[in-house]
Amino acid sequence: MIRSIAMAVAILAPLTAAAQDVEAGGDLFMQYCATCHGVDAKGGGPMNSVLVIQPTDLTRLAAENDGVFPRVRAISRIDGRDPLVSHGSPMPIYGQFFEGRGETIRGEDGVMIMTSQPVIDLVAYLEGVQE
């Protein structure tokens, strides 16, 4: 019986969404993203002049998606599943920092998506800066 419960918990564990830490996400943003996207996340960072494609105004992601924050798309861009040409390499260019133990978070469609805790925290911050 105990073994059955332990197996059920192990199977269901990935269905639990990881906690989001907005403050940690903000710190990550300032350290790794503000150079291109600007400290206000509007795309006006000091590296703009060397980028082929100008950085996105990250405060408008929800507005440009019918008022719904595109969580799955944001995660995919950050963790490299959906790479961007402007970076010259998969996003983020900081590579393995954003890797880590697999955690899950619900996408805007309710489906669980696996990524790392730093990405989850960064997405929490981005959700909070939407205009």
Side-chain angles (χ1 to χ4, degrees):
M1 175 73 163
I2 293 175
R3 183 175 171 183
S4 298
I5 293 171
M7 285 181 15
V9 168
I11 291 169
L12 294 175
L15 298 178
T16 304
Q20 294 178 280
D21 186 335
V22 176
E23 186 175 328
D27 291 343
L28 290 170
F29 182 86
M30 292 305 162
Q31 184 174 1
Y32 294 100
C33 311
T35 305
C36 294
H37 291 280
V39 295
D40 61 359
K42 292 181 180 273
M47 291 297 294
N48 285 0
S49 64
V50 298
L51 297 175
V52 175
I53 299 173
Q54 293 301 293
T56 301
D57 178 347
L58 299 174
T59 68
R60 307 258 328 130
L61 296 176
E64 294 171 0
N65 192 48
D66 297 325
V68 177
F69 183 81
R71 190 180 279 185
V72 173
R73 187 178 76 202
I75 290 169
S76 297
R77 290 279 171 94
I78 295 167
D79 72 13
R81 284 179 245 194
D82 184 8
L84 293 173
V85 176
S86 65
H87 294 97
S89 65
M91 162 108 164
I93 59 175
Y94 304 104
Q96 295 180 348
F97 175 79
F98 288 97
E99 294 178 0
R101 188 180 72 145
E103 299 288 350
T104 57
I105 186 171
R106 286 196 193 284
E108 66 273 16
D109 56 2
V111 175
M112 300 301 280
I113 183 170
M114 185 165 286
T115 191
S116 67
Q117 189 65 51
V119 173
I120 289 171
D121 295 341
L122 190 51
V123 166
Y125 172 76
L126 293 174
E127 287 183 74
V129 299
Q130 297 306 292
E131 294 180 346

